[in-house]
Amino acid sequence: GYYTQGNDDSVNPGPRLKYDMASAEASTMVYTGLKVLAAAKPGEPDAYIVGVPEHDLVWTADGVKESAKLTVVAAAVNNKNEVLRRATIDATAHRVGGTSNMNPDALARVEIKLPPGPGTYRVRFVVRGNGNGRIGTADIAIPGAAPPKNER
């Protein structure tokens, strides 16, 4: 990892957020700032469930609930690691207040839709916890797709 000097505005990062997310979606590098789990949603070919352990997120009191804000990108990538299409959502996860130590395996889950389309080799998920600026990734290979040229 690396550390920057100066103020970190994780609430309103502006152009840096777009750059970081775009770099992560086209990369094959695994980002580990957040542990990201992803799976195809059963019965819906264009929908995915993306999960992040609750303990990786920054939670804010919201009445009797707590909330955490996330930015989630799903990118359809071809076998040359080019992004063919993408979907981005800003999501808010909720949980009952004061539950931070109840279940260390609890996940904040978000649903995102992205039709992979022709030429898609994998779907890349990039998640940013907006409370702390951490980024994590997960990939799902598309069955039957041609592997990248360097893997043949």
Side-chain angles (χ1 to χ4, degrees), residues 37-51 74 109-116 122-125 138-143:
L37 305 169
K41 185 174 181 182
E44 292 189 44
D46 298 340
Y48 300 90
I49 303 295
V50 180
R109 290 181 174 88
V110 175
E111 182 177 328
I112 189 165
K113 294 187 179 203
L114 177 74
R122 66 186 167 100
V123 178
R124 171 90 158 175
F125 300 92
D139 295 281
I140 295 179
I142 301 298

Side-chain angles (χ1 to χ4, degrees), residues 25-26 75-79 81-84 119-124:
E25 71 188 35
V77 180
N78 69 11
N79 64 356
N81 290 321
E82 299 167 328
V83 175
L84 302 173
T120 300
Y121 168 70
R122 66 186 167 100
V123 178
R124 171 90 158 175

Side-chain angles (χ1 to χ4, degrees), residues 10-11 34 52-61 66-70 91-95 100 108 128-134:
S10 23
V11 175
L34 295 174
V52 176
E54 289 183 353
H55 63 80
D56 281 359
L57 301 172
V58 175
W59 295 87
T60 305
E66 293 178 329
S67 62
K69 296 193 179 292
L70 306 163
T92 302
H94 297 280
R95 69 178 182 184
S100 60
R128 179 180 186 270
N130 294 350
N132 56 17
R134 291 180 176 178

Side-chain angles (χ1 to χ4, degrees), residues 13 15-16 19 31 47 71 73 81 86 103 107-108 118 144:
R16 191 180 78 204
Y19 175 80
Y31 286 66
T71 300
V73 175
N81 290 321
R86 73 181 50 81
N103 183 358
L107 295 175

